[in-house]
Amino acid sequence: MASVARVLIDTPLPQLDRLFDYAIPLALADQVVPGVRVTAPLRAEGRLADGLVVEVGDTSDFDGALTPLESVVSAARVLAPEVWALARRIADRQAGSANDVLRLAIPRRSVAVERKWLAQGAPREVPRAAHPVAGYEGGVIESAVDDGGRVALRSLPGVVELADGSWVGRWAVTLAQAAVRAVIDGRTAILAVPDYRDQEQLEAVLSTMVPAGTVASLDARRTNAQRYAAFLSCLAHPDDSGHTPRIIVGNRSVVYAPAAELGLIALYDDGDPLFAEPLAPYAHARDVALVRQQQQGGALIFAGHTRSVEVQRLVELGYLHDVAPVPLVTPKVVPTAAQQQRQAGDGGRVPSAAFRTATEALQAGPVLVQVGRPGYVSLLACRRCGQAARCTSCAGPLQLSSARSVPSCAWCGRIAGDWACSECNNTSYRMVTRGSGRTAEELGRAFPGTRVIVSDGDRPLTHAPGEPHTLVVATRGAEPIAAGGYAAVILLDGEWMLQRESLHVGDDCLRWWSNAAALAAPGAPTVLVGVGGPLAQALTLWQQHSYAAAQLVDRRALGFPPALRVASVTGKPAAVQAALDALGDVPVRDVLGPAALPAEGPRALDDDFVRAIVRFDYAHGDAVAAALRGAIVRQATGGRRPPAGRKRGRPAPTLRIKLDDPEIL
DNA sequence: AGCACGCCGACT
DNA sequence: GTCGGCGTGCTC
């Protein structure tokens, strides 16, 4: 019987991010098993810390008397061995703590839910019926699932009706079929999607293929109790030695779900920024999936209508296999020249070609109009000289919230009823950019007798009716699925969307447009308004991977990710300098900065913070992460306390390190 | 984070 | 000669 337990203490302190050995008291001998929650004395007599048993054994490297564990919290083995290995690796890779990773991997405990699960376990339904993966060369995806293949999958555009009459994207059917293949084989599949609307589609498809107990949904929208119940249902029950195959669906953190026998881990639309984890240690779900597949085996699929530059790089390295539909299915995309004549009467937004397309299509079915901006009017300008209208107190942009409202500042909210142009003192303004609300209003007038539906970030719709004379105005990313597919898709604000200053505007726009075009009915036109060049070409030819390949060439030339890796180091100047010094002789490509943080948005961040960016090759990732991690630990221990006396809520971390932050540069 | 250990100024 | 200041350092 094991006498030593190796425990991860639940603490945010970076210097305690390692395993501590404890003696196992005889009374607890048969309860202390890997994965259970325990309490253990730490440092001072009587002070108890929570922890997780990572492993048990009979020896310890610690020379000193081992303190005995205090108690076992419950019999649930919430830290599965494969999740521990993943959390440790991800933390090390990101210069962070395993505890921070585990916060994403293990939901908060709910005693009632846990008691119920311990008493009755989880359903063990295993699906019987196979669902061959349709639309691809026979057996390509099946053999990837069977043999642990790694695939960059070009999803099928279009929508499909399910047995219950609801409609989903065809991409969801493909992933569900692949997942069923894995569970029939007795293994678990993890399907990660950017947001809950994608998740609903997967759940809808899966409900027609497998018994309900086979699917576990782990996403942030559920209550903690629901999430914990779903989480427990994926674990091995204490009374039961076997692994329970599951299809686990969820958003970005589902990549950490417990799956002892991993058959498949798949991401849909990996370029979506929602896959970037905003919590420390900021690991991108794509990277986690890559690491996990390497550790645990099973198949890896990155599916989507576009190709992220990161995935394209892996395809070119030969690490992922590019798989396209057979026969090729491509939406019909019609670009329009940049300076097209505008139709009168609709606010001048829709060029005449697109207007004609929409008018015609509305007779046959619903028409989708994708706009760039939510809200009503997001930018005003002087009617006389064209100067942008800005708030007099904070210089934020002025906006309108409805037809009759007074302009107000988008940043500070101040009402600007007395606005006058700062250049020419004129007091009348015009609308420069229109949001979904204003566009809907204008289009309603332009297409009389049409029902106009708005779907935006605030109130996104999942589904839209498939009836003619229905105009759906949606902001990019919030497009509902129309029954039967749209009779036409108009992509309106491309020109404006491309103006954003960012390394990946092009990728983002292509992704938004492609995802909207994928909602069209077979043969229905998608009109891209006012955009030409390689982006329009990639969309028209449905060759998003070619665009990604060209982007990768550019990134290599510029030395930008994913051609190489980057770490951003943010904090007080002294802390940043210490972190950079800690890099010592690690062979980094170069260090940009430190420089003052760019003042962005309504409020400038901590004004005395600086940021440096370290660029390095993939080969030196471990060394860079280890060095920066050392700086974090030193700064947490060595550093002086805040000037004595005051007790503030949170001593803001003075050093923040992000590896591979997609928003950098 | 806490909390103990440790080496310099006023004290019964 | 001690009691205690909170500057460093450790937590099995």
Side-chain angles (χ1 to χ4, degrees):
Chain A
M1 193 135 298
S3 59
V4 176
R6 311 203 74 204
V7 175
L8 181 76
I9 301 292
D10 180 13
T11 162
L13 299 176
Q15 61 271 41
L16 301 189
D17 180 37
R18 57 204 168 88
L19 300 183
F20 290 87
D21 291 354
Y22 284 88
I24 301 176
L26 267 176
L28 300 179
D30 47 0
Q31 301 168 50
V32 177
V33 293
V36 297
R37 295 185 221 256
V38 290
T39 60
L42 187 67
R43 186 78 174 90
E45 208 68 29
R47 270 194 57 79
L48 286 183
D50 294 327
L52 292 162
V53 176
V54 169
E55 54 194 31
V56 297
D58 289 304
T59 57
S60 170
D61 293 338
F62 182 67
D63 37 64
L66 296 187
T67 312
L69 285 175
E70 178 70 18
S71 68
V72 173
V73 174
S74 95
R77 279 140 33 204
V78 293
L79 178 59
E82 71 279 0
V83 176
W84 166 250
L86 181 64
R88 185 67 272 164
R89 179 78 197 103
I90 293 299
D92 291 344
R93 190 195 137 89
Q94 302 289 126
S97 301
N99 265 306
D100 286 337
V101 179
L102 292 180
R103 248 180 282 289
L104 305 169
I106 305 175
R108 219 180 60 240
R109 178 166 182 247
S110 160
V111 180
V113 169
E114 193 175 276
R115 193 179 297 135
K116 191 175 163 205
W117 175 73
L118 284 171
Q120 40 187 261
R124 260 201 109 153
E125 297 162 291
V126 179
R128 300 255 168 261
H131 290 265
V133 184
Y136 294 87
E137 204 182 321
V140 171
I141 302 198
E142 282 91 339
S143 50
V145 173
D146 294 348
D147 308 334
R150 296 178 298 246
V151 172
L153 185 68
R154 301 192 218 171
S155 288
L156 288 155
V159 293
V160 174
E161 185 173 22
L162 302 178
D164 64 0
S166 65
W167 290 78
V168 299
R170 291 181 73 180
W171 65 268
V173 177
T174 307
L175 290 187
Q177 288 164 340
V180 171
R181 175 87 182 185
V183 274
I184 283 186
D185 192 33
R187 296 180 296 164
T188 286
I190 293 175
L191 305 178
V193 292
D195 74 7
Y196 75 92
R197 292 158 71 250
D198 302 312
Q199 183 170 338
E200 281 175 4
Q201 296 182 58
L202 276 179
E203 287 165 350
V205 186
L206 287 168
S207 71
T208 66
M209 294 182 180
V210 293
T214 312
V215 180
S217 295
L218 291 176
D219 64 297
R221 281 195 110 223
R222 272 151 236 271
T223 66
N224 187 66
Q226 289 172 319
R227 204 161 359 129
Y228 195 50
F231 169 80
L232 291 175
S233 82
C234 303
L235 295 178
H237 193 276
D239 302 341
D240 188 353
S241 55
H243 153 79
T244 313
R246 288 271 182 270
I247 297 173
I248 312 175
V249 297
N251 57 6
R252 58 177 171 261
S253 48
V254 80
V255 292
Y256 298 107
E261 303 276 338
L262 188 60
L264 166 68
I265 184 164
L267 264 70
Y268 169 66
D269 205 18
D270 69 287
D272 192 307
L274 288 170
F275 278 121
E277 176 57 59
L279 298 175
Y282 317 107
H284 196 286
R286 183 199 299 119
D287 293 328
V288 180
L290 282 159
V291 167
R292 183 159 193 174
Q293 194 268 344
Q294 230 165 37
Q295 288 187 329
Q296 234 187 312
L300 175 66
I301 297 180
F302 294 109
H305 299 298
T306 43
R307 174 71 52 82
S308 67
V309 187
E310 289 81 1
V311 164
Q312 179 63 22
R313 171 180 164 269
L314 295 170
V315 169
E316 291 182 16
L317 281 175
Y319 192 79
L320 297 172
H321 298 287
D322 186 3
V323 174
V326 175
L328 219 54
V329 182
T330 61
K332 179 175 142 196
V333 181
V334 190
T336 65
Q339 297 300 324
Q340 260 229 352
Q341 199 188 342
R342 302 278 156 150
Q343 181 76 25
D346 66 345
R349 296 209 62 198
V350 185
S352 47
F355 191 88
R356 277 197 302 275
T357 303
T359 311
E360 209 171 287
L362 280 167
Q363 308 304 313
V367 170
L368 173 67
V369 178
Q370 183 197 63
V371 297
R373 273 257 159 159
Y376 193 75
V377 170
S378 45
L379 199 55
L380 300 175
C382 172
R383 185 176 288 282
R384 193 194 297 161
C385 73
Q387 175 79 9
R390 300 203 154 264
C391 173
T392 49
S393 74
C394 79
L398 297 187
Q399 59 180 14
L400 287 180
S401 58
S402 74
R404 285 170 199 279
S405 70
V406 175
S408 63
C409 174
W411 291 357
C412 70
R414 187 176 172 276
I415 303 289
D418 53 351
W419 176 80
C421 175
S422 61
E423 289 294 304
C424 68
N425 221 32
N426 174 39
T427 56
S428 63
Y429 48 78
R430 66 185 169 80
M431 298 171 278
V432 178
T433 60
R434 297 156 168 83
S436 47
R438 174 72 188 183
T439 302
E441 217 173 74
E442 290 172 352
L443 292 178
R445 282 202 289 273
F447 299 97
T450 320
R451 174 179 173 200
V452 182
I453 295 173
V454 177
S455 175
D456 58 24
D458 290 339
R459 270 163 283 116
L461 302 173
T462 310
H463 295 282
E467 291 147 26
H469 308 293
T470 305
L471 200 62
V472 179
V473 179
T475 52
R476 75 281 184 297
E479 299 87 359
I481 296 167
Y486 291 100
V489 175
I490 315 286
L491 305 169
L492 214 49
D493 288 332
E495 247 174 316
W496 179 83
M497 280 151 66
L498 279 168
Q499 278 168 22
R500 196 162 49 93
E501 202 63 48
S502 156
L503 180 59
H504 34 238
V505 248
D507 317 18
D508 287 343
C509 288
L510 188 55
R511 203 164 47 73
W512 289 323
W513 299 334
S514 302
N515 289 348
L519 299 176
T526 292
V527 183
L528 176 61
V529 173
V531 177
L535 267 175
Q537 197 180 10
L539 186 70
T540 311
L541 302 174
W542 209 249
Q543 300 260 312
Q544 291 85 350
H545 58 283
S546 307
Y547 183 79
Q551 282 295 297
L552 187 54
V553 170
D554 290 352
R555 306 274 180 95
R556 285 208 183 96
L558 292 166
F560 282 173
L564 38 64
R565 294 186 59 197
V566 291
S568 71
V569 183
T570 311
K572 303 253 192 210
V576 171
Q577 195 50 55
L580 295 177
D581 292 345
L583 287 169
D585 46 12
V586 178
V588 299
R589 197 69 81 85
D590 58 3
V591 177
L592 314 175
L597 284 178
E600 55 203 46
R603 258 174 306 169
L605 300 165
D606 296 80
D607 33 344
D608 58 339
F609 272 33
V610 296
R611 184 177 71 182
I613 293 169
V614 184
R615 297 198 281 189
F616 54 97
D617 292 317
Y618 282 79
H620 305 123
D622 286 344
V624 170
L628 294 176
R629 178 67 183 168
I632 290 179
V633 170
R634 237 166 291 126
Q635 120 105 22
T637 54
R640 283 156 263 135
R641 299 296 195 288
R646 281 173 303 183
K647 261 195 251 176
R648 282 293 171 80
R650 207 125 301 174
T654 51
L655 188 59
R656 191 183 67 189
I657 291 171
K658 285 191 178 188
L659 277 93
D660 305 312
D661 179 0
E663 292 308 310
I664 219 74
L665 299 169

